[in-house]
C-alpha cells in the first residue's frame, strides 16, 4: 500500500472514531419482504401487478447475505449508495409495500458512552395526496435517537380512492449535539410508490384468485382423465393388449420406414398445438366463469394480492 493511501485511510478511520456512534439500518428480513413484493410489479405498468412473482427473486434474495443494511454506519451516511440509485432508476414501490421498519442506536459497541444525537424529520411529503397520504412515523418527528437498539416504522398509506403512482419525499437531519463542531447529517430523498384504488385492488385479487383456481381445476381434471385411461388399459384382456402392442409396433414401423415420417411429426406438432389451444380456451372460459361468480359474491374471492 502506498504512503498517501495508507495515510488517508488512517485519517478516515480517525474520522469514524471521533464522529460519534450513530447507526441506522434496515434488517434483512424487511428488505426480503420488500424485494419479493417488488417482484410482483410488471416493469411496464406498476399499476398492473402480477399474480405471481417474476423470476429472479430467489437469485436476488440469495445475494442478501448480511443481516444489516446500513443507512448510517458509525456516524457516516451511506444511504446515498442505494437510495440514489433507487430514485434514479425510477423504481416504483409496489402497492402492497406500506411500511418500512428502520432500526437505530447510538450506543457504541466498544463501551464508549453514547453520543447524543438529535433527529428531525422535516419533510414527510406525498406529492399527490389524492393517491398517497403523507408518510407517517411511529415516533415523534423530532427527538433523540435512543442509545439502545430500537426500531420505528415509516408508514405509507394509499388513499385507495384513486389508482396512481405518487412521489413522496423524506427529509431528515441528525445533529450530533455533544460535538463542539455541531456536526449534522442530512438525508433527503424522493421515492415513488404505486397505489391501487379499492376497486382496482379487488379486481386484481379476483383475477389472481381465478387464475389459481382454474389452474388447479384443470390440473385435477387432467389427472382424473389420465387415471381413467390407465385403468382402462389395465382392465383390457391380455389378448387385446397383445393386439394393441402389435398395432403400436406397426405404427412405429411406419414412422421408421421414412417417407411418412415428416408427415407424422407434422401431424404430431399440429395435434400438440391443438391441445394447447384447447387448454387455453378452457382456461379462459373457466376464468370468465369464475370472475362472474366473484362479481356476484366478491367476498368469496378476496385474497391477498401476493398470494
Ligand atoms: C394525482 O394522481 C392522479 C392519478 O394518477 C392524477 O389523475 C392526478 O392528476 C394527480 N394529481 C396531481 C396533483 O399530480
Amino acid at each position: 500500500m502506498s504512503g498517501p493511501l495508507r495515510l488517508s485511510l488512517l485519517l478516515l478511520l480517525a474520522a469514524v472514531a471521533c464522529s460519534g456512534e450513530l447507526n441506522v439500518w434496515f434488517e434483512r428480513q424487511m428488505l426480503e419482504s420488500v424485494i419479493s413484493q417488488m417482484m410482483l410489479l410488471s416493469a411496464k405498468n406498476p399499476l398492473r401487478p402480477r399474480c405471481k412473482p417474476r423470476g429472479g427473486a430467489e437469485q436476488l434474495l440469495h445475494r442478501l447475505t448480511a443481516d444489516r443494511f446500513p443507512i448510517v454506519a458509525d456516524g457516516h451516511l451511506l444511504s446515498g449508495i442505494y437510495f440514489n440509485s433507487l430514485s434514479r432508476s425510477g423504481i416504483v414501490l409496489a402497492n402492497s409495500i406500506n411500511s418500512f421498519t428502520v432500526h437505530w442506536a447510538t450506543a457504541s459497541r466498544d463501551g464508549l458512552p453514547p453520543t447524543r444525537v438529535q433527529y428531525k424529520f422535516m419533510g414527510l411529503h406525498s406529492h399527490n395526496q389524492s393517491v398517497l397520504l403523507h408518510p407517517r412515523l411511529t415516533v415523534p418527528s423530532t427527538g433523540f435517537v435512543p442509545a439502545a437498539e430500537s426500531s420505528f416504522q415509516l408508514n405509507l398509506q394509499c388513499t385507495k380512492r384513486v389508482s396512481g403512482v405518487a412521489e413522496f419525499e423524506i427529509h431528515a437531519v441528525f445533529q450530533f449535539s455533544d460535538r463542539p463542531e455541531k456536526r449534522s447529517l442530512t438525508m433527503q430523498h424522493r421515492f415513488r410508490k404505486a397505489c391501487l384504488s379499492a376497486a382496482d385492488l379487488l379486481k386484481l385479487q379476483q383475477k389472481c384468485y381465478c387464475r389459481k383456481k382454474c389452474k388447479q381445476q384443470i390440473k385435477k381434471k387432467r389427472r382424473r382423465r389420465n387415471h381413467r385411461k390407465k385403468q382402462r388399459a389395465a382392465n383390457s384382456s391380455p389378448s387385446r393388449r397383445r393386439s394393441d402392442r402389435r398395432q403400436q409396433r406397426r405404427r412405429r414401423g411406419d414412422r421408421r420406414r421414412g417417407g411418412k415420417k415428416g408427415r407424422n411429426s407434422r401431424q404430431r406438432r399440429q395435434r400438440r398445438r391443438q391441445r394447447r389451444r384447447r387448454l387455453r380456451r378452457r382456461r379462459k372460459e373457466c376464468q370468465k366463469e369464475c370472475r362472474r361468480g366473484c362479481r356476484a359474491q366478491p367476498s368469496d374471492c378476496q385474497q391477498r394480492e401476493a398470494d
Side-chain angles (χ1 to χ4, degrees):
M1 200 189 288
S2 69
L5 185 60
R6 194 180 309 162
L7 186 66
S8 56
L9 200 64
L10 282 177
L11 281 176
L12 181 68
L13 284 176
V16 169
C18 70
S19 66
E21 305 279 340
L22 170 67
N23 287 289
V24 184
W25 69 94
F26 289 138
E27 298 220 314
R28 186 180 52 205
Q29 207 182 4
M30 205 242 4
L31 276 189
E32 277 176 354
S33 95
V34 168
I35 288 173
S36 42
Q37 287 172 78
M38 296 291 291
M39 291 296 169
L40 292 167
L41 282 189
S42 118
K44 274 183 245 133
N45 189 350
L47 296 177
R48 294 189 61 187
R50 293 160 176 258
C51 293
K52 277 170 92 180
R54 43 155 89 239
E58 274 76 37
Q59 271 175 317
L60 199 61
L61 294 176
H62 275 310
R63 268 189 260 154
L64 295 183
T65 48
D67 286 329
R68 291 178 168 194
F69 293 83
I71 302 168
V72 178
D74 292 332
H76 287 266
L77 201 60
L78 296 181
S79 62
I81 299 167
Y82 26 85
F83 289 166
N84 289 346
S85 67
L86 189 68
S87 353
R88 224 173 310 148
S89 59
I91 289 175
V92 176
L93 298 173
N95 172 72
S96 49
I97 298 171
N98 40 37
S99 83
F100 281 90
T101 305
V102 185
H103 294 256
W104 58 6
T106 57
S108 68
R109 266 164 263 150
D110 44 17
L112 292 170
T115 320
R116 266 167 77 77
V117 180
Q118 190 176 29
Y119 68 86
K120 213 182 272 180
F121 283 97
M122 329 233 279
L124 282 171
H125 280 298
S126 158
H127 290 254
N128 190 334
Q129 282 190 78
S130 58
V131 172
L132 178 73
L133 301 178
H134 288 318
R136 255 182 292 194
L137 299 170
T138 55
V139 288
S141 60
T142 64
F144 286 94
V145 179
E149 271 188 43
S150 61
S151 66
F152 67 91
Q153 276 187 347
L154 172 72
N155 291 322
L156 302 167
Q157 177 88 54
C158 291
T159 61
K160 297 194 181 166
R161 276 185 278 127
V162 197
S163 295
V165 174
E167 269 196 347
F168 65 94
E169 202 170 295
I170 293 175
H171 182 182
V173 177
F174 294 99
Q175 228 148 24
F176 295 74
S177 52
D178 287 356
R179 304 285 143 203
E181 68 272 31
K182 287 249 181 261
R183 211 168 69 84
S184 69
L185 297 178
T186 302
M187 234 163 71
Q188 190 166 14
H189 296 284
R190 256 182 199 213
F191 303 98
R192 301 203 298 156
K193 175 168 157 54
C195 281
L196 292 179
S197 67
D200 283 348
L201 183 60
L202 183 62
K203 238 185 266 169
L204 174 71
Q205 287 169 335
Q206 292 177 347
K207 182 179 87 177
C208 296
Y209 169 83
C210 287
R211 268 198 200 171
K212 197 167 153 194
K213 197 177 158 196
C214 288
K215 205 173 184 182
Q216 284 168 346
Q217 200 172 311
I218 285 168
K219 206 191 268 174
K220 208 192 288 171
K221 235 182 234 169
R222 192 186 302 149
R223 210 178 303 133
R224 222 180 295 143
R225 199 179 49 220
N226 284 348
H227 181 69
R228 266 203 306 271
K229 218 189 271 174
K230 239 181 257 168
Q231 251 179 352
R232 229 179 292 135
N235 286 345
S236 61
S237 66
S239 67
R240 164 100 188 283
R241 248 182 282 159
R242 218 173 299 137
S243 81
D244 272 357
R245 235 173 285 146
R246 217 173 299 138
Q247 247 179 7
Q248 246 175 16
R249 220 172 300 142
R250 212 174 301 135
R251 249 182 272 142
R252 229 178 290 144
D254 278 351
R255 247 177 257 147
R256 272 204 210 104
R257 267 197 295 281
K260 290 177 184 169
K261 182 173 169 251
R263 206 183 72 196
N264 268 334
S265 65
R266 207 181 316 135
Q267 279 174 345
R268 238 175 306 143
R269 260 205 308 273
Q270 207 169 2
R271 266 201 299 274
R272 221 176 301 144
R273 222 177 352 229
Q274 278 170 352
R275 214 178 309 140
R276 263 203 302 266
R277 221 174 289 149
R278 241 190 337 254
L279 190 67
R280 218 174 302 144
R281 205 178 319 130
R282 218 178 301 148
R283 212 182 292 147
K284 225 178 243 169
E285 272 164 22
C286 173
Q287 286 175 11
K288 216 192 270 174
E289 178 84 15
C290 172
R291 273 189 235 181
R292 213 175 297 141
C294 287
R295 270 198 294 278
Q297 204 65 254
S299 61
D300 285 356
C301 314
Q302 269 179 48
Q303 224 187 14
R304 265 191 56 226
E305 185 187 342
D307 207 344

